[in-house]
Amino acid sequence: MAHPLAVPLADGAWRLHTVRGPWLNTFVFAQGPGREVTLVDTGLPGAPKRVLAGLAAIGRRPSDVRRIVVTHAHPDHAGGAAALAAATGAPVALHGDDVSFALAGAGPRFDPSTRGGRIMARLGKGTFPPVPVAEELTDGQALDGGLHVLATAGHTPGHVALLHEPSGVLVVGDALMNVGRMRVSPRALCNDARLCRQTVRRLAEVDHSVLAFSHGPSVADGAALGAHLRTALV
Ligand SMILES: [Zn+2]
């Protein structure tokens, strides 16, 4: 039976559960044959304890984390970044277009052209501890260990997906969700709802073997995204 906190996705790739079940995930990628790893996303502000327990479950100490990548500046992804940076000593990286939000500890506005976005805006931006950003990521950047940055704006201006080339795991962040069924980020949760849909088409062109969602169980089928797009988006 899979460990409740850490689920292996492929060689050198794991999904960590920051809540019970695969509904708010972070990811760990080996940087090479040694113990060093990259952590992708940090959960809500209360998540770091579970993330560190997940790392321990795969035999990694906090000092083994060499970089923390945040897919975007929303509280359920960036919320634990400050605490995890302090616990690991690792630098935090995210796309330049989300840096100002991460530094401020408040996500970008939701798309006011949608009714849901206007409702979300009234509910508040969703604040989190300001993130100590050490590095700005750019589209196409290759990080240690074969992790490639894919700018996928829409959900937020600086949202990124990440392809771990050695394992074929594609972390889609919130560009796609798999809660009940696979779907594009709900319009109400997007900074730019139109761009949210366009950007998913880019992801469909990326060769991968495992689709890894921040919200929901992973799908070990490289053709699943293309099939989804043919039925849901076209
Ligand atoms: Zn989000």
Side-chain angles (χ1 to χ4, degrees):
M1 200 178 104
H3 191 283
L5 291 177
V7 177
L9 298 177
D11 266 0
W14 298 266
R15 188 179 76 226
L16 305 186
H17 295 170
T18 71
V19 296
R20 191 181 170 89
W23 310 117
L24 179 42
N25 305 317
T26 69
F27 299 92
V28 181
F29 295 101
Q31 291 202 333
R35 302 169 56 87
E36 297 186 346
V37 293
T38 297
L39 177 66
V40 175
D41 278 343
T42 64
L44 287 161
K49 202 173 157 190
R50 280 179 74 97
V51 173
L52 294 172
L55 284 168
I58 60 169
R60 297 320 200 268
R61 293 185 294 257
S63 59
D64 294 326
V65 179
R66 282 289 170 269
R67 181 188 268 118
I68 299 169
V69 176
V70 175
T71 59
H72 63 290
H74 274 166
D76 50 342
H77 299 255
L84 283 166
T88 61
V92 180
L94 81 170
H95 190 279
D97 290 346
D98 267 18
V99 165
S100 63
F101 307 113
L103 291 172
R109 69 174 189 171
F110 297 106
D111 190 337
S113 73
T114 69
R115 183 168 177 271
R118 291 192 292 276
I119 292 170
M120 290 299 291
R122 279 203 293 277
L123 293 175
K125 280 180 163 181
T127 57
F128 50 89
V131 177
V133 180
E135 186 183 0
E136 290 190 21
L137 301 176
T138 56
D139 186 34
Q141 191 174 349
L143 304 176
D144 300 348
L147 208 53
H148 280 251
V149 177
L150 300 156
T152 43
H155 184 74
T156 67
H159 183 282
V160 297
L162 295 147
L163 175 68
H164 185 236
E165 282 207 326
S167 66
V169 173
L170 175 60
V171 174
V172 297
D174 280 1
L176 287 158
M177 300 183 183
N178 192 27
V179 179
R181 64 185 171 89
M182 194 194 303
R183 59 174 295 179
V184 180
S185 183
R187 291 165 60 87
L189 299 181
C190 287
N191 173 253
D192 183 327
R194 190 181 51 85
L195 201 51
C196 262
R197 295 174 76 80
Q198 283 178 7
T199 204
V200 172
R201 296 179 190 279
R202 180 180 186 202
L203 288 176
E205 291 167 7
V206 177
D207 275 339
H208 62 278
S209 54
V210 178
L211 265 182
F213 308 87
S214 297
H215 304 288
S218 309
V219 175
D221 177 357
L225 177 52
H228 172 77
L229 285 176
R230 279 192 292 280
T231 57
L233 287 181
V234 180

